Amino acid sequence: MAVPSGASAYKRWKSRNLRTKIANFLQDPRAGEVSPEVLRELESSRGEAEPEAGEAESDDPMRRRIAARMLWGVPTAAVTEHRARVAHAEARRWEKLLPRPPAPWDWFSEPKGADKAVVSGLSWVNLGPTNASFQYNGTLYNEVDSGRISGIAVHPVDPQVVYLSTSGGGLWKTFNFGAATPAWHPVSESLGNLAIGAMDLDPTNPETLYVGAGDFVDTPGGHVVKTQDGGATWSAPVGLSGQYPAGSGGISVKALRIRAVEVDPANANVLLVGTDVGLFRSTNAGASFSLVDLPNAGSVQRSESVWSIVHTGAVSGVSRWAISGTYACDASSPPPEAGFGQATNVDCTSGNPGDIWTSTDAGATWSSRKAAGTIPTTAVGRITLAAGTPSGAATPVTVVYAQLGNQDEYNGSAGVGYWRSINSGDNWAAITGTLSNRTNAVGGFRDCGTVNVNDAQAWYNSALAVDPGNDNNVLVGGMLCGLRTTNGLAATPTWENVSHWLPSSGYGNVTGGALDYVHADWHRALIVRSATGYVAMAGTDGGLFVSRNLFNATPTQVVWDGQNRGIVTHLSYSVASGDPATGNPYLAYTGLQDNGTRFRDPSAGAASTTFNQVIGGDGFGAAASRDSVSGATIYWASVNGSREYCVPTAANSFCNSGTAWNTRDAALRAGCATDGQPFIMRYALASASPSANTFLTATDSAVHRVSGTGSWQAISPCLTGYTRLLSASANIDGLYGVSMSGGRFYVTGDCTGTATNCTWTRSSILGFDVNGNGTITPDEQLSYTMQVAFPPTTPAGRNPGDVYVASSGAPVAGDGVTVVPEALGHLFITQDRGTTWAPLHGNGTGFDLPNVGIDVVRYDPSDLTNNTLYVGTELGVYRSTDAGQTWHRFGQGLPMARVTDMFISRTGAMMRVATYGRGLWELYPSATAEKGVSGNGDWNRDQQLDFVDLAAAASRLGTDPSTTAQPYYDWNTDITGTVNGMDSADLTELLNRIGGRP
């Protein structure tokens, strides 16, 4: 998280009409494709001022949320149910290729990839990021961050056993939490949806855990899965649906997002799950769930969403609970999404929609505290609860605290204080008080000058925890800083800052010194006690941070330790990679959600999984190039709002420094009346271009090209629709494509000279006549186009650009309702430049692609028969070696994670992918490829047999497809003979050909 200084930098959008457009867009699967002009307004009209030189880069979760839905669509409950079923089936189908659960003897060893990346055959290896030597975001600091935390659970008997759930990387476990650097292990790689919204373990049987799939703001889900062996195996998903009111009539709802999961400590069969559409309860240990219709204040009964669930003790073995949530704005609709419609008398005319409910019968029935008149009248939307330890009385009494926020992003989503109940949530009093140690930047957006720790993102940031050994001790987290009180039971508690998001900037100074670092955007907090003392934990957008002296040290001496080394849960949008053919195979970097642009530390070479943050904020696009002849090198990256580049120098030979990156044409425009800047800026490397270091990028309406460090040049006219992702042929110069809104693409096959020479052709809408009735109806079409791939060799009788493969990430068909039919799929080929389409998801013989979205598609540039294709799906990588007739899951060890980007080296020998939740991965396809002896010796594919090819061949003497150490066998250098293997005959044949063409 990063925010530029000055309140004026945050541009607030007050228009009710515009808020309505956004709210509709976020919930309408068709909105992103119907009106690109409206999307431009939604996506680019709000945001923040550009940071000045040296300032921290900015991050905006609402804008990111809008941009992500423009890219991937708005899944419906039917879509998420479909995906859950497909993922479960694929996990069983390809079980032998998925990562195995760690064996008991693995728990105390470092996880594979924590220190080094070693590739063996067709095994995927995680490149990280697992560590960082430094981070830079306007200032330099030494910290290590991982991805967003959604839940923390500690084993009730052995406090060294800790679980973390994450918003894209699944569930992680450690057995040595007390160590300075715990060894973390992923234990949910086969779930299919690694976006976990919340989780809990059964305190009576701690090997049993429940996780709720569906992050509260990004990737949806809406189902619960269960493990009874600590994550080794998982149940089938169980969906959450119901009706308001119960019985006939009313409205039907299905959960998409899980916000809270709690196992009843007095009865393990009872499970409570809080979601975006209400409270669900199971009485059979998660086998099934029923929707609980909570009572509303007022005369109109409406649906609810639930934010927090806390246990407040038990009487005669029957548990008592308190929960918080918000009402829907009217009786005929579900609750609005987080960030919308939660301000008093703005969108909900009946008044303040936030409420607290209590139950004394294990969650079967509930009473509204608002209806009872026992909560203050302060206007609140989102409420986060945390409970202390129930007293030992026959009817226990529990202290409960509440952190309050205005949940309407577009009406000033600020924190509005704190409440406290000393009788288990029945009666509440305000305890907001004041802050005793303001930071020295009061008045700017980087200050922590009030108790409003939520700052301007109360809908997104909220975390609260109570010390189980002392109800006076409370930890609060929000947007930029953490607070504590050690006299929470006082009439007016004293609040103090105890952490800061960027103390190295000097903005984290208070009286007595500087606060310690905790990444911004808090989502979970927990305090646990054991025989050795207490531990406070903060789960943030940057991972887990731990303090063991939170309540007994002065604020500037409170120590927070990041516990994120080895946790690879980063939400990655892209991968930039070097190439063995150009002599920089170890180069890799990526753009990450709220974790900046991370550059692989070159000091360890092939063994490095350390990635340093060289740009802060939200990282998106990344592309790298090195010309094999001139040696010229340039790297491009993007942060929300600007395009950044770096050219290595003697002083910074790898651009592994935050100060080396420069902004180039941040306000790029094509001269179109509707042109603007996409929030998620992307690149494509035009590696086939004879000009060194040629890259593509896009504005809202046009494609742009740059060579070296020159200025971007528009190479397309103002295109119809909204640009999405870019593609460039790896083998044919001037062959480019761009996906567009509305289910279309543009391609050009002659863009080798000036911009005026580029002829762009617009495709028809992606789809075909599935039913064979002579027409193509909306339910036989797809929107949310992703990428195109051009064959390495232009087929006979065709021109470059006539034939290409196209993918879609559409959650539903073009009618906005129908789950994409199996017969339609998400991958297509055109033979006539996009005039007509045919499916390419398989021939129905049992080896078709799973019917889920495809983010990236690539031909193997080394297969000149055009038969080898790779796709990155929502569930991993699949490959076809017969031009798309059959498909198989590719490689061993890749989790079922969304693949957002893919790099294939020009020799086809190395592949790297980016995943949305599990970082970067690497594999060497040629290492075990048994293609027959078909190499031509041109290892780096520069159409010249020279010393580079000789060195590659000589270094591989004695290798074959079984070789497990680098350099691996590579079929490109295997020229002669009848058996796959590099021997002296191959080297002799290459020497005879040296100086010629392959």
Side-chain angles (χ1 to χ4, degrees):
M1 170 66 201
V3 183
S5 62
S8 62
Y10 227 83
K11 184 178 180 181
R12 283 289 155 212
W13 221 357
K14 295 292 186 179
S15 165
R16 181 186 177 94
N17 180 53
L18 201 47
R19 289 204 310 275
T20 301
K21 287 181 181 179
I22 295 172
N24 291 339
F25 162 73
L26 289 176
Q27 300 181 61
D28 185 351
R30 294 162 292 184
E33 302 298 322
V34 170
S35 177
E37 290 72 23
V38 169
L39 288 189
R40 290 190 182 96
E41 181 184 14
L42 296 178
E43 199 272 338
S44 63
S45 294
R46 76 179 303 273
E48 300 157 356
E50 294 300 326
E52 297 179 1
E55 285 192 343
E57 298 287 352
S58 61
D59 147 78
D60 185 337
M62 180 60 78
R63 196 175 179 207
R64 183 178 67 239
R65 177 181 177 191
I66 295 170
R69 297 196 189 187
M70 292 169 65
L71 180 65
W72 290 315
V74 185
T76 63
V79 167
T80 58
E81 290 176 354
H82 163 77
R83 288 179 182 169
R85 289 193 299 270
V86 172
H88 188 65
E90 287 293 289
R92 298 177 61 137
R93 180 185 187 190
W94 303 108
E95 182 178 5
K96 293 183 178 179
L97 295 181
L98 294 175
R100 66 172 178 81
W105 53 83
D106 292 336
W107 290 119
F108 298 99
S109 62
E110 285 295 316
K112 185 177 181 181
D115 291 325
K116 58 184 179 178
V118 178
V119 180
S120 176
L122 286 182
S123 295
W124 289 99
V125 168
N126 190 222
L127 295 184
T130 64
N131 199 0
S133 299
F134 69 85
Q135 296 185 182
Y136 184 88
N137 188 15
T139 182
L140 191 68
Y141 52 105
N142 295 318
E143 300 290 347
V144 178
D145 295 325
S146 61
R148 184 162 70 238
I149 300 293
S150 62
I152 309 168
V154 179
H155 195 289
V157 177
D158 184 356
Q160 291 199 75
V161 178
V162 176
Y163 293 90
L164 298 178
S165 63
T166 69
S167 295
L171 189 70
W172 289 67
K173 182 178 184 178
T174 182
F175 265 74
N176 63 336
F177 186 70
T181 303
W184 293 98
H185 304 264
V187 293
S188 61
E189 305 286 69
S190 63
L191 283 187
N193 188 344
L194 299 183
I196 298 177
M199 62 96 174
D200 194 24
L201 56 75
D202 179 354
T204 62
N205 184 9
E207 292 299 296
T208 297
L209 293 93
Y210 300 85
V211 304
D215 177 60
F216 84 104
V217 65
D218 285 336
T219 304
H223 54 271
V224 174
V225 289
K226 176 182 180 180
T227 178
Q228 294 179 282
D229 49 20
T233 59
W234 294 89
S235 71
V238 178
L240 305 174
S241 62
Q243 191 171 39
Y244 288 106
S248 61
I251 61 171
S252 296
V253 295
K254 293 183 179 181
L256 288 175
R257 306 180 185 282
I258 311 299
R259 297 173 176 173
V261 175
E262 294 290 334
V263 180
D264 190 334
N267 182 352
N269 285 316
V270 174
L271 182 68
L272 300 180
V273 179
T275 76
D276 57 334
V277 294
L279 177 69
F280 290 85
R281 182 173 183 259
S282 173
T283 57
N284 53 12
S288 62
F289 291 85
S290 298
L291 177 65
V292 179
D293 192 357
L294 302 172
N296 294 177
S299 60
V300 178
Q301 182 68 14
R302 294 168 283 160
S303 62
E304 310 85 27
S305 64
V306 173
W307 279 109
S308 294
I309 306 173
V310 295
H311 187 251
T312 58
V315 176
S316 300
V318 178
S319 283
R320 300 185 164 206
W321 298 91
I323 65 175
S324 67
T326 55
Y327 300 145
C329 295
D330 58 67
S332 61
S333 63
E337 293 223 15
F340 293 93
Q342 305 300 332
T344 302
N345 294 318
V346 173
D347 294 290
C348 291
T349 57
S350 60
N352 174 14
D355 202 351
I356 294 173
W357 295 266
T358 55
S359 172
T360 59
D361 57 3
T365 62
W366 299 81
S367 63
S368 162
R369 295 297 90 205
K370 180 182 287 186
T374 61
I375 60 176
T377 57
T378 308
V380 295
R382 178 175 179 177
I383 303 173
T384 300
L385 302 178
T389 302
S391 69
T395 301
V397 176
T398 305
V399 175
V400 186
Y401 290 87
Q403 181 183 14
L404 315 173
N406 177 348
Q407 195 175 308
D408 188 349
E409 163 76 356
Y410 291 95
N411 199 54
S413 181
V416 292
Y418 307 94
W419 293 341
R420 180 190 61 221
S421 170
I422 58 173
N423 60 354
S424 305
D426 285 343
N427 298 82
W428 293 84
I431 56 166
T432 299
T434 58
L435 187 66
S436 69
N437 65 336
R438 295 184 177 187
T439 60
N440 65 356
V442 175
F445 248 77
R446 285 188 282 204
D447 76 76
C448 299
T450 72
V451 294
N452 174 22
V453 73
N454 301 102
D455 215 331
Q457 294 180 351
W459 71 274
Y460 181 71
N461 311 291
S462 188
L464 183 66
V466 182
D467 182 350
N470 186 341
D471 289 333
N472 275 294
N473 294 338
V474 182
L475 172 64
V476 177
M479 182 175 172
L480 301 177
C481 295
L483 303 180
R484 76 172 184 194
T485 181
T486 56
N487 63 342
L489 294 178
T492 305
T494 301
W495 298 96
E496 298 173 298
N497 279 313
V498 289
S499 74
H500 193 271
W501 72 290
L502 199 61
S504 58
S505 66
Y507 288 106
N509 291 343
V510 296
T511 301
L515 301 171
D516 209 356
Y517 172 82
V518 174
H519 194 284
D521 297 332
W522 292 46
H523 300 287
R524 288 288 188 264
L526 180 67
I527 301 169
V528 295
R529 281 191 175 266
S530 66
T532 59
Y534 68 86
V535 178
M537 305 183 211
T540 74
D541 266 10
L544 179 68
F545 296 83
V546 170
S547 175
R548 291 178 170 83
N549 69 343
L550 174 64
F551 298 115
N552 59 315
T554 61
T556 55
Q557 293 177 331
V558 170
V559 176
W560 290 93
D561 293 319
Q563 302 283 282
N564 299 302
R565 287 180 174 82
I567 302 178
V568 186
T569 53
H570 304 82
L571 302 170
S572 178
Y573 288 94
S574 59
V575 58
S577 177
D579 193 316
T582 53
N584 58 345
Y586 306 135
L587 169 71
Y589 61 98
T590 179
L592 307 172
Q593 184 266 303
D594 207 6
N595 280 259
T597 296
R598 298 296 176 98
F599 199 94
R600 190 182 192 187
D601 194 313
S603 60
S608 179
T609 59
T610 294
F611 283 70
N612 301 321
Q613 180 176 290
V614 294
I615 308 172
D618 276 326
F620 293 117
S625 178
R626 179 177 179 180
D627 186 81
S628 59
V629 177
S630 68
T633 302
I634 190 169
Y635 310 139
W636 284 92
S638 67
V639 66
N640 44 307
S642 66
R643 296 172 179 83
E644 309 280 328
Y645 75 93
C646 184
V647 177
T649 64
N652 182 38
S653 59
F654 295 99
C655 289
N656 186 33
S657 168
T659 59
W661 292 76
N662 305 281
T663 299
R664 170 67 72 181
D665 302 324
L668 185 64
R669 296 287 191 279
C672 311
T674 56
D675 204 13
Q677 296 301 313
F679 185 70
I680 300 180
M681 294 180 177
R682 303 294 281 270
Y683 303 98
L685 171 63
S687 58
S689 172
S691 301
N693 304 306
T694 299
F695 299 85
L696 307 180
T697 193
T699 52
D700 286 345
S701 301
V703 179
H704 302 254
R705 181 173 61 191
V706 68
S707 293
T709 59
S711 294
W712 290 97
Q713 177 190 33
I715 59 171
S716 77
C718 296
L719 305 175
T720 301
Y722 187 97
T723 62
R724 297 166 66 79
L725 300 183
L726 297 151
S727 302
S729 171
N731 294 50
I732 302 171
D733 184 26
L735 179 52
Y736 309 144
V738 60
S739 58
M740 304 295 296
S741 60
R744 299 178 187 269
F745 300 87
Y746 277 90
V747 298
T748 178
D750 58 3
C751 203
T752 56
T754 65
T756 57
N757 293 334
C758 306
T759 304
W760 292 83
T761 303
R762 189 186 187 210
S763 76
S764 65
I765 298 175
L766 200 61
F768 68 100
D769 183 10
V770 177
N771 299 321
N773 60 5
T775 62
I776 303 177
T777 55
D779 61 348
E780 298 171 310
Q781 297 175 336
L782 289 185
S783 56
Y784 296 98
T785 54
M786 299 305 287
Q787 281 199 324
V788 301
F790 301 106
T793 304
T794 301
R798 305 287 182 178
N799 297 313
D802 289 351
V803 180
Y804 60 94
V805 174
S807 67
S808 171
V812 293
D815 61 0
V817 177
T818 306
V819 175
V820 177
E822 296 282 344
L824 184 60
H826 291 80
L827 191 68
F828 305 85
I829 189 170
T830 179
Q831 305 280 346
D832 52 17
R833 215 173 184 84
T835 300
T836 59
W837 299 96
L840 203 66
H841 53 72
N843 57 16
T845 57
F847 292 98
D848 283 10
L849 284 170
N851 187 26
V852 295
I854 298 172
D855 276 24
V856 56
V857 55
R858 296 274 194 273
Y859 274 96
D860 182 343
S862 70
D863 183 0
L864 302 184
T865 67
N866 298 341
N867 282 321
T868 304
L869 277 160
Y870 298 93
V871 293
T873 76
E874 295 181 66
L875 302 177
V877 175
Y878 289 75
R879 181 178 72 166
S880 173
T881 57
D882 54 12
Q885 296 304 299
T886 59
W887 294 86
H888 293 77
R889 187 172 180 87
F890 185 57
Q892 184 170 358
L894 186 70
M896 298 190 75
R898 180 170 213 141
V899 175
T900 54
D901 198 11
M902 180 184 297
F903 170 85
I904 304 176
S905 68
R906 66 181 62 185
T907 68
M910 182 180 74
M911 176 185 292
R912 286 175 176 153
V913 298
T915 67
Y916 200 68
R918 290 290 282 110
L920 302 184
W921 295 75
E922 178 181 89
L923 181 145
Y924 283 72
S926 294
T928 59
E930 305 216 17
K931 293 192 175 186
V933 182
S934 57
N936 62 9
D938 185 15
W939 178 77
N940 63 343
R941 302 193 64 80
D942 63 355
Q943 301 302 304
Q944 180 70 45
L945 297 177
D946 52 23
F947 174 77
V948 173
D949 304 308
L950 180 62
S955 67
R956 287 169 172 77
L957 280 176
T959 63
D960 59 42
S962 67
T963 300
T964 59
Q966 290 187 346
Y968 304 109
Y969 168 79
D970 190 326
W971 67 268
N972 290 283
T973 63
D974 194 354
I975 303 174
T976 188
T978 58
V979 178
N980 286 101
M982 276 299 298
D983 54 27
S984 59
D986 296 301
L987 190 59
T988 299
E989 179 62 24
L990 178 59
L991 285 168
N992 291 334
R993 300 183 187 183
I994 285 291
R997 300 288 182 182

